[in-house]
Amino acid sequence: MAMSMLLSNAVPTATVLSSSSSSSSSSYACPLQIKDCNVREKRRANTSIRSSSETSGEPTPARFDRRNVLLGLGGFYGATALAGNPSAVGAPIEPPELTACRSANYPDGYGDQVPVQCCPPYDFSKPLNVQPYQFPVSPPLRKRKPAHLLTQFEKDRFKSVIAQMKALPRNHPWNYLQQAQIHCAYCNEAYNQKGTNTPLQVHFSWLFLPWHRYYLYFLERIIGKIINDDTFALPYWNYDVPAGMKIPDIYSDPSSSLYNPNRNSSHFNENLNLSYSYDIEDQPPPADVVQKNLENLDTMFKTTLAVPRLFMGSPVRAGDSPNAGTANLTSGYCENVHNVPHMWVGNVEAPNTDMGNFFSAARDPIFFGHHANIDRFWDIYRNKRGNLLEFNDPDWLDATFVFYDENEKVVSVKVRDCLNVNDLGYAFADNNFSVPTVQPRAAPITNPKLISDFGPSPRPLNETIRAVVTRPKASRTPAEKAAFAEVLFIDDIDILDPEPIRFDVYVDNLLQNTYTVGPGTFSGSFTRVRHNNHIMKNGPTVKAGLQLGIQSILESIGADAAQKIAVNIVPRSGQVKIGGVHIELVPAQAY
């Protein structure tokens, strides 16, 4: 297993320890000073929140220049070393050539429909003249409320305006279907990245949360314009409190514009289950669902604070594909959680429309309530980190998207301008997450079967994989833990088909090289919504990875002094192969 060299702003030159299930632990000092990584004009990492019109629109250097440097750092893992570094050489994702939109990828067997046309209704009879969006100056604060706590007036108004949008001419940019198609175009690869043959994809990376924040922002502004109320705010599906876990009634009235018939009707009166998967029937009993949901979300927040990419997703730069050949491009914990309500709401029958499939997900109005809560999770996460910048990296801050705004203009926006929700003119009625009460657990019963390392070859996940993994260092001091986070890597995940994917990861103490009957302590999941994409339609399997913070979990189970731990990978849905399992100490950021 190749070692990675991971750098951060806080630790420019540091010793990084890594270990794998198939090799012994070793260490080395990073031989490279960050300032020596820069082979082009040094760019100032401005971390302030600015208007898009104030940021530079200068073109970035050709991408191969950056890759030449990264290859010199030790292959792909060297590439990830530059994440979060203000001097990192790269190129931010830019808007695509808008005239080059094509039919999106859509599921095989989707009725008799011709290839899905998700392209926005741009008028190319004259130049679009895309301009940086001018954010309103001192807008009234819009307060996003839980959907289950809306007043009757608020419910009626929301239903009415969605009905109005559905009644607009089909080619109007504010038509509800046109708004839904935006997600299809940017998530089902109707565009290539500018100047490349690489599909543009806003999932599976650090673009996921900012792009969706802007998607909701402009819908909210458009609705406010339609009803002539600048204080209108989208509601959020508040499924991190027990009272809000069911599908809110505003979405469940069959006569309402917010209703969608393509849902799993068996879930209409049940609490959302974040342990849900299509193929496994042994779901938690109803009495345990609420507690397990809260514990899952608590794990999301507490295990990712020190390393933002664990929550946000890994870097993606111009020319990178989140789908193939770069197995370390990973979704963050938040996106993996986000996928479960999509699958739980969507039609249980393949192709799982609407919510359960990327191309059609936004056709269900609950999509926006769901994503408003995911946007809230990002706000909570930022608050827990003292609103510190997640990535001091211009390739993130200057990544640029294009949307129709509330004045029917095509505008561009940058990630750097959406980091603080108050600067965007909205806030959440509740931006806190309450730590759940952990229920007592029965002591595990040991099983006499031996457990060994993962082995040198990829393994199909057709049954639970149990592997011994050596830790880089046991019994670290508080100072060492503050400087480096302990991260579990599930390597080289090969996704073999477009069907929904889920597997869960557990860690456990070892008892004389035997494992326990139970799976151990839940550490996180890998999930994918059903998705037919460009890569899979053209032959290769999709590559992915998973990274999970485990230090606090090992402390909670009394394994802090263990030299080795058990890692259990439990299949739930779909077909994947796992390339390996290892642990690294990754430079942490102060918060």
Side-chain angles (χ1 to χ4, degrees):
M1 178 68 65
M3 290 186 182
S4 69
M5 295 190 294
L6 296 165
L7 308 178
S8 79
N9 301 335
V11 191
T13 306
T15 300
V16 180
L17 307 176
S18 72
S19 68
S20 74
S21 59
S22 57
S23 64
S24 60
S25 174
S26 61
S27 65
Y28 63 98
C30 174
L32 183 68
Q33 297 292 333
I34 286 180
K35 62 184 177 63
D36 297 328
C37 298
N38 198 359
V39 297
R40 66 174 183 171
E41 181 181 26
K42 188 172 182 179
R43 297 178 300 181
R44 183 169 64 93
N46 189 336
T47 63
S48 65
I49 307 303
R50 302 183 298 168
S51 166
S52 292
S53 61
E54 297 174 296
T55 59
S56 172
E58 291 299 312
T60 56
R63 182 177 175 278
F64 66 82
D65 291 338
R66 181 177 68 86
R67 281 313 255 187
N68 288 341
V69 174
L70 299 184
L71 290 173
L73 298 181
F76 180 75
Y77 282 118
T80 65
L82 300 179
N85 171 12
S87 302
V89 179
I93 296 290
E94 298 181 73
E97 296 290 350
L98 299 179
T99 59
C101 190
R102 59 175 178 251
S103 298
N105 291 306
Y106 68 103
D108 295 332
Y110 182 60
D112 298 321
Q113 185 167 340
V114 296
V116 176
Q117 302 294 333
C118 294
C119 302
Y122 296 135
D123 179 6
F124 294 116
S125 63
K126 53 186 177 181
L128 282 179
N129 192 28
V130 179
Q131 295 293 316
Y133 179 66
Q134 298 299 314
F135 291 91
V137 178
S138 301
L141 188 66
R142 306 185 303 280
K143 186 63 69 74
R144 292 184 180 175
K145 296 174 59 176
H148 70 285
L149 297 180
L150 296 179
T151 66
Q152 191 60 49
F153 169 77
E154 291 167 332
K155 292 178 182 180
D156 292 342
R157 183 176 63 166
F158 190 32
K159 292 176 184 178
S160 175
V161 71
I162 296 300
Q164 291 178 58
M165 294 176 72
K166 289 183 175 181
L168 288 171
R170 178 66 178 266
N171 64 348
H172 195 289
W174 295 352
N175 173 282
Y176 181 81
L177 181 59
Q178 289 294 349
Q179 287 292 305
Q181 300 285 55
I182 295 170
H183 189 264
C184 175
Y186 286 91
C187 304
N188 272 63
E189 300 161 5
Y191 290 108
N192 282 339
Q193 293 181 35
K194 187 175 183 178
T196 75
N197 291 322
T198 303
L200 177 60
Q201 172 59 260
V202 295
H203 289 81
F204 320 136
S205 74
W206 64 5
L207 298 182
F208 169 72
L209 288 165
W211 186 90
H212 285 83
R213 172 167 286 181
Y214 273 128
Y215 186 25
L216 270 64
Y217 171 82
F218 283 110
L219 176 66
E220 195 169 66
R221 296 286 300 169
I222 288 168
I223 291 176
K225 185 82 168 187
I226 292 172
I227 64 175
N228 195 29
D229 183 354
D230 215 17
T231 67
F232 173 83
L234 290 169
Y236 58 91
W237 181 10
N238 194 190
Y239 45 74
D240 51 297
V241 299
M245 288 184 185
K246 290 183 172 64
I247 292 178
D249 61 7
I250 189 175
Y251 300 103
S252 58
D253 177 4
S255 65
S256 167
S257 62
L258 302 177
Y259 182 78
N260 185 291
N262 292 323
R263 295 179 187 155
N264 186 339
S265 59
S266 68
H267 291 160
F268 281 179
N269 295 310
E270 296 180 359
N271 285 323
L272 168 66
N273 178 8
L274 292 178
S275 300
Y276 177 75
S277 64
Y278 288 113
D279 298 341
I280 302 298
E281 295 182 359
D282 60 338
Q283 303 297 324
D288 291 348
V289 166
V290 170
Q291 183 65 27
K292 286 186 176 295
N293 285 350
L294 296 178
E295 290 177 8
N296 188 335
L297 296 174
D298 184 46
T299 298
M300 174 179 72
F301 288 118
K302 75 181 181 184
T303 63
T304 61
L305 289 174
V307 182
R309 80 162 181 261
L310 298 180
F311 183 87
M312 303 286 296
S314 65
V316 62
R317 309 175 196 275
D320 286 339
S321 169
N323 286 327
T326 48
N328 209 37
L329 286 176
T330 60
S331 301
Y333 200 127
C334 188
E335 185 175 358
N336 279 307
V337 166
H338 136 274
N339 289 338
V340 181
H342 272 277
M343 294 186 280
W344 188 84
V345 171
N347 195 321
V348 71
E349 300 295 332
N352 311 114
T353 52
D354 280 333
M355 270 283 280
N357 199 307
F358 270 175
F359 92 98
S360 58
R363 297 180 183 184
D364 188 336
I366 202 173
F367 171 97
F368 296 101
H370 167 42
H371 271 273
N373 205 36
I374 293 297
D375 188 46
R376 174 172 159 268
F377 286 168
W378 184 18
D379 190 46
I380 292 172
Y381 179 77
R382 299 201 88 240
N383 289 338
K384 287 178 176 289
R385 283 179 42 81
N387 291 306
L388 295 178
L389 189 65
E390 291 89 344
F391 305 100
N392 189 3
D393 187 326
D395 287 352
W396 185 60
L397 294 167
D398 291 332
T400 305
F401 314 124
V402 169
F403 291 92
Y404 263 115
D405 73 359
E406 68 273 20
N407 297 311
E408 298 184 46
K409 294 181 179 179
V410 183
V411 296
S412 64
V413 287
K414 292 180 181 289
V415 167
R416 67 169 68 247
D417 295 319
C418 77
L419 304 182
N420 189 322
V421 297
N422 295 131
D423 289 341
L424 294 178
Y426 70 92
F428 295 96
D430 179 3
N431 65 347
N432 294 295
F433 172 76
S434 299
V435 177
T437 302
V438 178
Q439 300 297 323
R441 307 274 182 187
I445 302 171
T446 58
N447 184 310
K449 291 184 178 180
L450 293 177
I451 181 172
S452 60
D453 65 15
F454 184 92
S457 301
R459 297 171 62 177
L461 188 57
N462 48 25
E463 61 181 4
T464 296
I465 294 175
R466 303 178 186 269
V468 172
V469 183
T470 302
R471 298 174 65 203
K473 185 179 181 181
S475 302
R476 295 190 296 144
T477 67
E480 289 173 323
K481 292 176 181 178
F484 290 91
E486 189 163 1
V487 178
L488 174 67
F489 287 71
I490 310 298
D491 300 316
D492 298 322
I493 302 167
D494 283 350
I495 300 175
L496 305 181
D497 57 44
E499 68 185 56
I501 304 292
R502 177 177 183 141
F503 63 79
D504 296 335
V505 180
Y506 299 79
V507 297
D508 205 357
N509 245 321
L510 282 172
L511 301 175
Q512 297 180 341
N513 282 350
T514 65
Y515 61 80
T516 62
V517 171
T521 299
F522 178 77
S523 302
S525 300
F526 179 90
T527 63
R528 284 286 176 99
V529 176
R530 178 180 288 277
H531 179 41
N532 288 56
N533 60 65
H534 173 80
I535 299 295
M536 195 165 285
K537 282 183 175 288
N538 287 279
T541 58
V542 169
K543 291 280 190 181
L546 180 64
Q547 302 174 15
L548 300 170
I550 59 171
Q551 181 62 56
S552 62
I553 296 174
L554 297 181
E555 293 170 357
S556 71
I557 64 174
D560 194 39
Q563 299 290 335
K564 300 180 179 182
I565 62 169
V567 174
N568 301 318
I569 307 172
V570 182
R572 300 298 188 192
S573 295
Q575 301 179 51
V576 300
K577 285 185 178 179
I578 306 294
V581 184
H582 77 285
I583 297 172
E584 292 184 13
L585 298 181
V586 176
Q589 293 185 26
Y591 62 90

